[in-house]
Amino acid sequence: MAGRADLWYQNAVIYAVDVDAFQDSDGDGVGDFQGLISRLDYLNHLGVDCLWLLPFYPSPNRDNGYDVMDYYGVDPRHGTLGDFVEFLRAADERGIRVLVDLVANHTSDQHPWFQRARVDPDSTYRDYYVWSTDPPQPDPGRGSVFPGEAGAGRVWTYDTEAGAYYYHRFYEFQPDLNLYNPAVREEIRKVVSFWLRLGVAGFRIDAATLMIEEKRPGNGQPEDPHELLRELRAHARRHGGDVVLLAEADDDPSRLGEYFAGGEFDRGDRSRPGGGVDLLLNFYLDAHLFLALATGRAGPVERALATLPPPPDGSGWANFLRNYDELNLGRLHRAEQEQVYERFAPDAHARIYGRGIRRRLAPILDGDRDRIELALSLLFSMPGTPLLFYGDEIGMGEDLSLPGRTAVRTPMQWSDAENAGFSTAPASRLVRPVVDEGPFSYERVNVADEWADPASLLNFVEHLVGTRHETPAIGRVDPEVVQTDAPSVFAHCYEGSAETVAMAHEFAGEPRTVTLDVGPKDASPMGLLGVGELRTVEVGVEVDLGPYGYRWLRVGDG
Ligand code: NOJ
């Protein structure tokens, strides 16, 4: 029960926005910053405090913008740098902070650095990338990140102009930067300074695990792998003490603690300070939350929380259910993966890369409102900072006829007007088609209808966001699992000095009454979220849970 520092991101709700799919303001079919500005009041009403913007930089856009060709600009499809600054100011006026993606593991092959590197072996840019005339076989586990996709599959690609192979862990059009070249590190520091000076609150660090790997495969692990992100954080913090680095690191749980600022790298005979990460995207927990939902058992959540390292003071987890990539089950045992696939993606077409599911939250849970609320309540109750993926607050679905991960990246559904109110362009010109068929079509699932309906999912999520803000212990105190005699119920609590907050979630769809041994025994409990009677009994609080029920309660001075 460690008390933690009081930092803004520990009591924030983060919302992930893909600018190109959010709101188009000029009728060209692509979302833009003016469109996003016009929707800030919506986000403010919802109560989110922080937006994470997926890459919006100039890009050939062959990997949803994760192929950057200019780190200092805005892709003309989304507007201008001036529009971006106006957006930052408008967000700031509403108290909304902004994180931007830092894609520093690789560039686009169209980046001028790579173009110079290819044609001129003597150029300073040659050593910005990783070359070989005789590439080694990749080590096990270090093959392509996107097995089976065109443009991926291998990690070395021959460039006829350069007369050599270049290294890339993602697609062949995303050459890895040589992050062990001090000149490259200097470039990245400049990029970080640039966006911080404009006013962003921090960065979501793309592919952090790959960034800290040895970039000359075969040379073994670098002496001090976390130095890079540690230095980057120190640099970023010179611009402001509350700058946050949120990293994508889908690593083995035994290594995750290393990434945190204040963490420790301790392997074999080597011991070094840890990394520079304030918040770490919690992929491991995510897979286990879905395993619990699929099996109707609480055990997987308990196991995940017991396995994950406790973050050092000031650091924490960014928890999520779905994002714009696949739901990655790779860290579950094979038999467990099968259980999740069978329940949530019985159609092989909904699976991807042999490790994931390319569906959104609501359809995964059959659009079942009780289970969607259960999943969201569980997410918001997990230790750390909750992160919502745009559209999940209204229960949007996916379009499996779109290729690969694009299935979950369809435009935001604002209303039942043409193109879901996303754009006035002809449907054929939209960046991606809107979902216009079936139970998740924009005519049935949209913001306008849901705001008008007090019983809607959107109104529930707004309430959930508010409740999470009123429960800051979730981001600052280590949780304790509370034992119950029901294997389908996961219960946990956060014990603060004056009060205890406890939660219970039922996964099997069966009504249950559980007794939670929490809080001072003479205090009467106060319900915070969910329905059902609460009774003070000798050993604690008795809680009635309906099928897929959830309950948050406060015991103590609250
Ligand atoms: C991770 C991102 O989440 C994914 O969408 C992208 O394709 C890769 N990094 C490459 O940048």
Side-chain angles (χ1 to χ4, degrees):
M1 196 263 302
R4 296 191 182 282
D6 190 9
L7 298 158
W8 72 265
Y9 47 82
Q10 292 178 323
N11 196 30
V13 175
I14 305 178
Y15 185 95
V17 180
D18 199 354
V19 177
D20 77 356
F22 207 58
Q23 179 67 60
D24 171 21
S25 73
D26 57 5
D28 67 354
V30 182
D32 46 47
F33 279 104
Q34 288 301 333
L36 180 53
I37 291 171
S38 73
R39 294 301 186 180
L40 279 172
D41 287 324
Y42 164 75
L43 296 165
N44 200 24
H45 183 174
L46 184 58
V48 299
D49 330 72
C50 178
L51 303 181
W52 152 29
L53 302 188
L54 271 63
F56 51 79
Y57 314 106
S59 163
N61 204 24
R62 296 175 70 189
D63 181 17
N64 207 37
Y66 282 95
D67 43 339
V68 178
M69 55 188 264
D70 175 4
Y71 286 109
Y72 296 104
V74 167
D75 194 288
R77 300 179 326 135
H78 305 313
T80 64
L81 199 53
D83 292 330
F84 177 81
V85 170
E86 201 179 318
F87 154 72
L88 274 187
R89 188 188 52 78
D92 190 47
E93 269 170 13
R94 291 162 177 83
I96 297 177
R97 291 175 156 99
V98 177
L99 305 180
V100 294
D101 234 291
L102 181 68
V103 191
N105 177 69
H106 49 268
T107 66
S108 158
D109 61 358
Q110 300 306 305
H111 195 292
W113 298 341
F114 189 70
Q115 288 303 322
R116 289 288 299 281
R118 297 173 63 207
V119 297
D120 181 1
D122 300 323
S123 132
T124 37
Y125 297 109
R126 184 72 158 207
D127 196 34
Y128 272 34
Y129 296 90
V130 185
W131 300 95
S132 174
T133 46
D134 183 18
Q137 280 295 321
D139 294 336
R142 291 203 177 167
S144 168
V145 175
F146 301 132
E149 272 213 41
R154 54 175 185 267
V155 297
W156 291 99
T157 292
Y158 188 71
D159 184 79
T160 42
E161 198 73 48
Y165 294 83
Y166 61 91
Y167 185 62
H168 57 90
R169 285 298 299 280
F170 295 101
Y171 296 105
E172 67 190 24
F173 52 81
Q174 289 165 316
D176 274 33
L177 281 166
N178 174 10
L179 291 164
Y180 291 89
N181 177 345
V184 174
R185 291 196 180 196
E186 185 52 34
E187 297 276 10
I188 306 301
R189 282 196 288 271
K190 278 198 279 186
V191 172
V192 163
S193 294
F194 177 81
W195 294 101
L196 287 174
R197 280 280 162 179
L198 286 187
V200 305
F203 300 87
R204 180 265 188 190
I205 314 270
D206 186 59
T209 308
L210 306 188
M211 283 176 81
I212 64 168
E213 268 187 359
E214 176 54 73
K215 290 290 176 190
R216 285 144 302 181
N219 280 9
Q221 248 237 335
E223 259 309 290
D224 185 2
H226 291 281
E227 183 193 30
L228 172 66
L229 293 175
R230 207 165 57 232
E231 276 180 7
L232 210 57
R233 180 172 185 270
H235 173 75
R237 290 247 159 168
R238 277 183 214 124
H239 293 264
D242 61 355
V243 169
V244 65
L245 298 191
L246 157 67
E248 179 198 32
D250 190 358
D251 209 336
D252 188 271
S254 64
R255 288 197 283 273
L256 291 176
E258 295 171 3
Y259 286 82
F260 288 119
E264 223 183 302
F265 173 85
D266 194 359
R267 260 187 248 164
D269 54 351
R270 274 184 305 156
S271 162
R272 294 272 185 283
V277 170
D278 303 292
L279 288 175
L280 206 49
L281 287 166
N282 203 343
F283 290 92
Y284 188 76
L285 179 64
D286 184 38
H288 286 78
L289 296 181
F290 278 98
L291 180 62
L293 293 165
T295 56
R297 300 181 74 85
V301 184
E302 206 172 315
R303 184 175 94 205
L305 292 183
T307 306
L308 288 167
D313 192 16
S315 304
W317 302 106
N319 300 312
F320 57 96
L321 289 165
R322 288 296 293 114
N323 64 21
Y324 58 97
D325 286 328
E326 76 281 10
L327 161 57
N328 192 342
L329 307 175
R331 302 227 170 256
L332 300 179
H333 301 303
R334 194 69 226 173
E336 295 171 337
Q337 290 180 17
E338 284 309 323
Q339 285 176 300
V340 182
Y341 279 141
E342 263 167 45
R343 189 80 205 274
F344 295 148
D347 178 357
H349 190 51
R351 305 176 190 176
I352 188 167
Y353 308 138
R355 62 165 185 251
I357 295 178
R358 54 190 200 106
R359 304 187 73 193
R360 271 185 177 262
L361 178 68
I364 281 180
L365 299 175
D366 301 324
D368 178 344
R369 177 64 184 275
D370 291 344
R371 282 191 289 154
I372 296 171
E373 282 191 23
L374 169 72
L376 289 166
S377 164
L378 182 66
L379 168 68
F380 275 63
S381 78
M382 288 291 110
T385 306
L387 191 153
L388 281 171
F389 175 45
Y390 81 90
D392 278 354
E393 74 275 24
I394 52 171
M396 270 173 56
E398 69 277 336
D399 180 350
L400 287 173
S401 72
L402 298 176
R405 294 168 290 160
T406 316
V408 297
R409 299 171 180 173
T410 57
M412 182 68 180
Q413 297 173 189
W414 295 106
S415 71
D416 63 3
E418 213 171 328
N419 297 333
F422 160 68
S423 170
T424 55
S428 60
R429 291 189 54 205
L430 298 188
V431 61
R432 289 178 285 283
V434 293
V435 173
D436 60 1
E437 278 175 7
F440 302 98
S441 84
Y442 68 88
E443 277 145 339
R444 296 192 194 185
V445 174
N446 65 64
V447 170
D449 288 354
E450 292 198 31
W451 270 150
D453 174 5
S456 67
L457 180 63
L458 180 57
N459 275 300
F460 165 75
V461 174
E462 187 213 359
H463 178 58
L464 181 63
V465 170
T467 308
R468 172 62 184 79
H469 282 139
E470 285 173 1
T471 324
I474 299 174
R476 298 194 182 131
V477 174
D478 291 331
E480 278 170 40
V481 172
V482 179
Q483 292 307 327
T484 74
D485 55 7
S488 69
V489 175
F490 178 72
H492 65 302
C493 71
Y494 299 89
E495 220 174 285
S497 47
E499 60 172 26
T500 294
V501 179
M503 291 93 172
H505 292 86
E506 198 285 322
F507 293 103
E510 290 158 8
R512 288 274 172 206
T513 295
V514 289
T515 306
L516 308 181
D517 178 3
V518 291
K521 298 294 173 272
D522 50 352
S524 40
M526 183 178 111
L528 297 175
L529 189 75
V531 290
E533 213 189 312
L534 302 173
R535 289 175 297 273
T536 309
V537 292
E538 208 181 313
V539 284
V541 184
E542 210 169 63
V543 182
D544 291 337
L545 293 166
Y548 302 118
Y550 55 86
R551 201 78 169 99
W552 295 20
L553 51 116
R554 176 176 286 153
V555 195
D557 296 344

